[in-house]
Amino acid sequence: MKLITSPTSPFGRKVRVVLLEKKIPFELVLDIPWNADTQVGNYNPLGKVPVLVPKDGETLFDSRVIVEYLEHVSPVGHLIPQDPTSRIRVRKIEALADGITDAAALIFVEFKRPEAQQSRDWMLRQQTKVFKGLEALSEALGEGTLFVGNKLTLADIAAACCLGYLDFRFPDIKWRNTHANLAAFHEKVGSRPSFKETVPVA
């Protein structure tokens, strides 16, 4: 199968980590949707990455859909629990982490517009989502080292990719100073080979 993503996409990173953790072979195709010569639109009508192109079957897009598919492709290292309560908790943490990432990405895109066209009120609204989301993420982790149980799940992958994206795009957000538990969590999960191999590069 083939994964189309950009080298900086936090959602593409989430899928890459899942593929690596589940030991699923894949071809990585780097394509930046903002570039004039991008081919992403040929696979995803929304023109967004990541996109998964299986050898047989329908092209998939949106990281949550792709991860759900990958859980069924390989029995190795299940990342979404079968137990309904744990499963919902994992997906809830994933949604929270993805929401923080979405808000941060929107701020980054807004900063790329000419300053006269930027909406400070709109960026402040997104920034509020980031900070409130981090508070909720920290509360959800509590004193634990992982979000659900003692085994890596999709919740941990999504949260670590979110924090990694903040480090990459917004190093001035000193989230480690206010959320020591997230800092310890990120250091632990970030030491895994799958995360070291997928660190975003400009």
Side-chain angles (χ1 to χ4, degrees):
M1 65 180 65
K2 178 166 60 175
L3 177 67
I4 304 171
T5 188
S6 77
T8 60
S9 168
F11 300 110
R13 186 187 190 192
K14 182 172 74 169
V15 173
R16 289 173 67 190
V17 169
V18 169
L19 285 162
L20 292 168
E21 289 288 342
K22 293 178 71 65
K23 303 186 186 328
I24 299 174
F26 69 101
E27 176 190 355
L28 179 63
V29 178
L30 297 180
D31 190 331
I32 301 175
W34 301 105
N35 290 355
D37 61 349
T38 181
Q39 300 298 307
V40 173
N42 295 333
Y43 299 94
N44 179 359
L46 301 178
K48 299 171 69 175
V49 294
V51 180
L52 188 73
V53 185
K55 288 184 178 180
D56 299 304
E58 187 177 353
T59 297
L60 302 172
F61 46 86
D62 188 280
S63 65
R64 295 184 207 179
V65 173
I66 294 172
V67 169
E68 187 77 30
Y69 168 78
L70 294 175
E71 272 289 275
H72 297 289
V73 166
S74 170
V76 174
H78 280 301
L79 298 167
I80 304 175
Q82 294 301 307
D83 169 65
T85 301
S86 297
R87 184 183 185 90
I88 291 299
R89 178 165 170 78
V90 164
R91 298 319 290 258
K92 180 181 176 181
I93 298 299
E94 180 194 18
L96 175 59
D98 284 0
I100 297 169
T101 305
D102 270 328
L106 288 172
I107 295 171
F108 176 73
V109 171
E110 186 72 3
F111 269 126
K112 295 178 73 172
R113 286 156 51 90
E115 187 172 356
Q117 297 178 21
Q118 294 175 14
S119 171
R120 293 295 172 181
D121 289 341
W122 188 86
M123 284 195 287
L124 181 60
R125 182 177 180 183
Q126 304 308 318
Q127 188 180 68
T128 299
K129 293 178 185 179
V130 171
F131 290 129
K132 285 186 173 294
L134 286 171
E135 290 175 4
L137 203 62
S138 177
E139 183 178 349
L141 179 61
E143 297 181 2
T145 56
L146 296 173
F147 280 93
V148 181
N150 56 7
K151 179 183 175 184
L152 185 80
T153 67
L154 181 59
D156 305 306
I157 293 173
C161 287
C162 166
L163 297 172
Y165 182 72
L166 293 180
D167 279 346
F168 178 61
R169 291 298 191 198
F170 300 96
D172 55 315
I173 297 180
K174 308 297 185 182
W175 56 268
R176 288 176 177 81
N177 294 347
T178 50
H179 304 297
N181 61 340
L182 292 181
F185 158 80
H186 188 255
E187 183 176 357
K188 173 185 174 70
V189 175
S191 66
R192 297 176 72 92
S194 60
F195 279 91
K196 288 183 176 180
E197 186 175 329
T198 59
V199 173
V201 292

